[in-house]
Amino acid sequence: MSHWHDYVDDLTNFLEAKPATLPNFFLGHSHGGLVLAQALLDGILPSSSGCLFSSPYFRPAITVPVPMRIVAQVLNVIW
């Protein structure tokens, strides 16, 4: 995926395709938890029956050194 909101768009497309009679209860693990949280903040899940987050990736567990962040940004452009 090239943009962050592509993930949220995929969730929106899934919700539009599923039968309306089924309850909306969501489980988001790791990166999926981050996508689910974004969808909640964007108001995409107004009729949600509930959400369960399993080890959501809200931030890195360690502080990434500045040189590593610079290298990652450069490699992201090159890749």
Side-chain angles (χ1 to χ4, degrees):
M1 305 234 168
S2 59
H3 300 295
W4 165 247
H5 275 288
D6 289 347
Y7 294 105
V8 179
D9 291 342
D10 281 350
L11 178 58
T12 303
N13 291 336
F14 168 76
L15 292 174
E16 291 172 354
K18 79 171 201 61
T21 56
L22 296 175
N24 292 323
F25 193 87
F26 300 95
L27 166 66
H29 175 71
S30 189
H31 188 78
L34 185 59
V35 173
L36 184 58
Q38 182 68 57
L40 284 169
L41 291 172
D42 289 349
I44 293 172
L45 308 173
S47 62
S48 171
S49 299
C51 295
L52 178 65
F53 296 90
S54 169
S55 189
Y57 181 76
F58 290 136
R59 64 185 170 105
I62 60 171
T63 303
V64 180
V66 173
M68 284 291 255
R69 282 188 275 165
I70 293 170
V71 168
Q73 290 172 348
V74 170
L75 289 177
N76 185 47
V77 172
I78 294 171
W79 192 279

